[in-house]
């Protein structure tokens, strides 16, 4: 009776065990996230074997990123076939106090180019012409074309202005052939806000900015100023925070969003909560779809991703400055919290941007690691084939020498 029962019970148990094993191998490794086609570093370590210990160390040194936002593979893999000899143009959207001045100088003075930008001593602008004697420029930025679309023009201004501005530079016939690749820099919102306050305190105003949207600048009622007189020199941090229409608040979101979606600077166009939601989502989409963006807090990673994106190399490495005017400002936790509240949209944008930035960096590093691994594997295969072809010839030569020696001995 027991033997008959065991014979009936054993097949279902074996079938269940087989299904569990199969499910373990076919179930998705990262549900809800973007899995790269190439194996991650951990998989490379498992399959690398003992012959590649240096790869194990390199992969082990790269911590696994705890991603907050799911991005598709195409959103992580940024490769631009930038044709400097053709009609491609890099457009730099320069947001105030994000390290854009330093990055802008890198673009005109620190890139290995077939025809370097020509920078005259004592002048801010450089002539960045294409190779081959073409007077057309491949770079639209403060240090190449100047503020051609207005002082610190935002996304709304640049996207409607740049094509016409390039035409005015004498290349009207090539407008339809141009590819515009937008890039920008972002910064931690609290640090950026404090840096702007210190800059305004020293006399900066940016009052000549056009703020063009839907073909016009805002009226004084739509965009009032926070001060009377020529500038806001000597303003205290409390006064700076108390101005409800201070453009320093949520500047990064506003400069990256399509302002025409919310009626530009007309705050009566829709309610505030709806306006904020649309601005934030528009800024995220525009940032994600840009060819490249960097973060002030990650200079070396910014350099690496730019070089990978555009297949260009910088001459000197970027420097990370940890001591800035903003870092020297001693604020309490209550003031920091107030600044975060004033920049609540920028805080959300920066969290999104930082996660996307680090995921792109990790994806690029893993892709590079896998490419190098396959390259070394191919080199070892070719070396083995070369040795395999050499060994028969060496054996034949040894046989010939032995036979010649034996024949000489026989003659003696």
């Amino acid at each position: 009776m027991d033997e008959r029962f065991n014979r009936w019970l054993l097949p279902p148990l074996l079938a269940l065990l087989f299904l569990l094993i199969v499910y373990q191998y076919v179930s998705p490794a990262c549900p809800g996230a973007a899995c790269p086609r190439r194996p991650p570093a951990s998989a490379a370590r498992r399959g690398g074997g003992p012959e590649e210990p240096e790869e194990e160390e390199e992969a082990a040194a790269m911590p696994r990123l705890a991603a907050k936002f799911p991005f598709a593979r195409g959103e992580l893999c940024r490769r631009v076939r930038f044709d400097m000899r053709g009609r491609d143009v890099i457009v730099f959207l320069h947001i105030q106090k994000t390290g854009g001045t330093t990055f802008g100088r890198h673009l005109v003075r620190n890139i290995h180019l077939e025809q370097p930008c020509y920078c005259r001593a004592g002048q801010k602008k450089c002539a960045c012409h294409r190779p081959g004697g073409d007077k057309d420029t491949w770079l639209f930025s403060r240090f190449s074309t100047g503020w051609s679309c207005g002082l610190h023009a935002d996304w709304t201004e640049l996207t409607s202005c740049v094509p016409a501005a390039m035409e005015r530079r004498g290349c009207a016939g090539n407008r339809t052939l141009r590819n515009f690749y937008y890039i920008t820099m972002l910064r931690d919102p609290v640090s950026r806000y404090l840096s702007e306050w210190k800059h305004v305190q020293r006399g900066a105003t940016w009052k000549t900015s056009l703020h063009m949207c839907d073909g016009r600048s805002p009226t004084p009622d739509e965009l009032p100023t926070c001060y009377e007189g020529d500038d806001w020199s000597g303003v205290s941090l409390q006064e700076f925070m108390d101005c409800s229409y201070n453009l320093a608040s949520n500047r990064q979101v506003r400069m990256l969003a399509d302002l025409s979606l919310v009626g530009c600077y007309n705050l009566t166009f829709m309610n505030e909560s709806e306006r904020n939601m649309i601005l934030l989502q528009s800024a995220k989409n525009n940032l994600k779809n840009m060819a490249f963006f960097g973060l002030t807090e990650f200079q070396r990673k910014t350099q690496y991703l730019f070089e990978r994106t555009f297949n260009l190399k910088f001459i000197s490495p970027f420097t990370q400055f940890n001591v800035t005017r903003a870092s020297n400002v001693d604020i309490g936790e209550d003031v920091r919290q107030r600044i975060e509240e004033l920049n609540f949209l920028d805080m959300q944008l920066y969290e999104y941007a930082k996660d996307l930035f680090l995921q792109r960096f990790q994806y690029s590093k893993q892709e590079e690691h896998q490419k190098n691994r396959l390259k070394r594997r191919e080199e070892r295969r070719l070396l083995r084939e070369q040795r395999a072809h050499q060994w028969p010839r060496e054996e034949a030569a040894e046989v010939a020498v032995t036979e010649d020696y034996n024949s000489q001995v026989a003659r003696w």
Side-chain angles (χ1 to χ4, degrees):
M1 180 68 177
D2 290 339
E3 293 179 359
R4 188 183 310 167
F5 177 79
N6 290 336
R7 282 200 303 269
W8 283 103
L9 183 62
L10 186 60
L13 289 175
L14 292 175
L16 179 59
L17 180 61
F18 176 78
L19 290 174
L20 289 174
I21 295 174
V22 170
Y23 176 78
Q24 182 179 7
Y25 280 95
V26 301
S27 59
C30 47
C35 301
R37 293 183 182 177
R38 291 180 171 84
S42 57
R45 292 200 300 275
R46 287 194 297 269
E51 62 181 356
E52 298 171 359
E54 72 282 355
E55 292 180 5
E56 291 188 9
E57 294 175 3
E58 178 185 347
M62 187 184 302
R64 187 175 183 85
L65 178 67
K68 298 179 181 178
F69 299 91
F71 295 105
R73 178 178 179 273
E75 295 167 342
L76 299 180
C77 181
R78 306 304 271 181
R79 299 289 183 276
V80 171
R81 294 180 178 179
F82 186 69
D83 185 7
M84 189 169 289
R85 287 182 171 272
R87 290 291 174 255
D88 292 353
V89 181
I90 293 177
V91 182
F92 180 33
L93 193 165
H94 185 173
I95 302 174
Q96 290 95 316
K97 313 315 296 177
T98 59
T101 298
T102 300
F103 184 77
R105 290 196 179 106
H106 280 306
L107 294 177
V108 298
R109 297 177 181 271
N110 191 31
I111 298 182
H112 278 291
L113 296 172
E114 182 180 347
Q115 180 173 331
C117 298
Y118 176 64
C119 304
R120 292 183 178 179
Q123 293 189 2
K124 290 185 177 181
K125 289 198 301 181
C126 303
C128 296
H129 296 150
R130 302 182 189 277
D134 193 341
K135 297 301 182 182
D136 189 21
T137 184
W138 57 268
L139 176 63
F140 193 97
S141 75
R142 167 190 180 183
F143 292 116
S144 56
T145 56
W147 301 113
S148 300
C149 291
L151 179 62
H152 285 287
D154 55 30
W155 189 92
T156 306
E157 293 175 289
L158 286 177
T159 52
S160 60
C161 165
V162 169
M166 291 298 293
E167 281 190 58
R168 292 194 297 270
R169 298 184 64 84
C171 302
N174 297 314
R175 178 182 180 183
T176 56
L177 302 177
R178 292 188 184 279
N179 294 314
F180 296 110
Y181 296 104
Y182 285 81
I183 65 174
T184 194
M185 291 287 294
L186 294 182
R187 186 178 181 182
D188 168 73
V190 175
S191 297
R192 199 215 63 80
Y193 186 86
L194 289 171
S195 181
E196 180 165 340
W197 163 59
K198 297 296 290 184
H199 198 58
V200 170
Q201 192 181 55
R202 295 191 302 273
T205 63
W206 301 299
K207 59 185 177 183
T208 58
S209 297
L210 300 177
H211 302 296
M212 292 290 292
C213 181
D214 284 350
R216 69 176 182 88
S217 295
T219 66
D221 290 335
E222 292 174 332
L223 191 60
T225 60
C226 290
Y227 57 90
E228 296 179 357
D230 295 332
D231 56 43
W232 210 3
S233 298
V235 59
S236 67
L237 180 56
Q238 188 62 51
E239 292 173 324
F240 196 74
M241 293 188 296
D242 287 344
C243 181
S244 60
Y245 31 84
N246 189 346
L247 290 181
S249 301
N250 295 312
R251 183 181 288 279
Q252 295 179 103
V253 164
R254 190 181 62 259
M255 290 191 68
L256 289 174
D258 183 357
L259 299 181
S260 63
L261 298 175
V262 294
C264 300
Y265 292 88
N266 181 8
L267 300 183
T268 63
F269 186 79
M270 62 178 60
N271 66 67
E272 184 179 3
S273 60
E274 183 181 4
R275 176 185 175 87
N276 290 337
M277 181 182 64
I278 294 174
L279 284 174
L280 178 59
Q281 190 58 49
S282 176
K284 286 181 177 180
N285 290 337
N286 291 337
L287 183 71
K288 180 179 65 178
N289 294 326
M290 281 183 168
F292 162 84
F293 71 89
L295 298 181
T296 308
E297 290 75 19
F298 299 94
Q299 290 292 319
R300 293 296 179 88
K301 290 180 173 65
T302 293
Q303 176 181 354
Y304 173 82
L305 286 178
F306 180 91
E307 291 177 339
R308 292 273 293 179
T309 300
F310 289 98
N311 195 27
L312 296 170
K313 291 293 182 181
F314 289 101
I315 300 170
S316 302
F318 287 15
T319 302
Q320 185 72 54
F321 295 104
N322 294 321
V323 178
T324 63
R325 287 191 175 93
S327 66
N328 287 329
V329 177
D330 186 17
I331 58 173
E333 188 59 34
D334 55 335
V335 175
R336 173 175 292 277
Q337 185 175 349
R338 175 78 190 284
I339 294 175
E340 290 178 354
E341 291 171 355
L342 290 171
N343 293 273
F344 71 103
L345 295 179
D346 273 10
M347 295 295 293
Q348 295 176 72
L349 175 66
Y350 187 78
E351 180 185 27
Y352 176 88
K354 183 178 178 180
D355 191 62
L356 175 56
F357 178 86
L358 293 178
Q359 283 196 54
R360 283 179 176 176
F361 177 78
Q362 185 177 63
Y363 180 90
S364 296
K365 277 294 186 181
Q366 289 177 352
E367 188 180 49
E368 182 183 35
H369 169 77
Q370 181 70 359
K371 182 179 179 180
N372 292 336
R373 182 172 181 267
L374 294 175
K375 181 181 177 181
R376 288 193 290 268
R377 181 181 294 175
E378 180 65 15
E379 289 173 350
R380 287 193 294 270
R381 185 188 66 81
L382 294 175
L383 183 61
R384 285 195 298 268
E385 290 182 356
Q386 184 180 5
R387 289 175 177 173
H389 285 89
Q390 287 177 349
W391 287 340
R393 289 197 296 268
E394 292 174 356
E395 291 176 356
E398 290 178 2
V399 170
V401 170
T402 302
E403 290 178 350
D404 181 63
Y405 174 78
N406 292 335
S407 63
Q408 291 183 16
V409 171
R411 284 198 301 269
W412 292 341

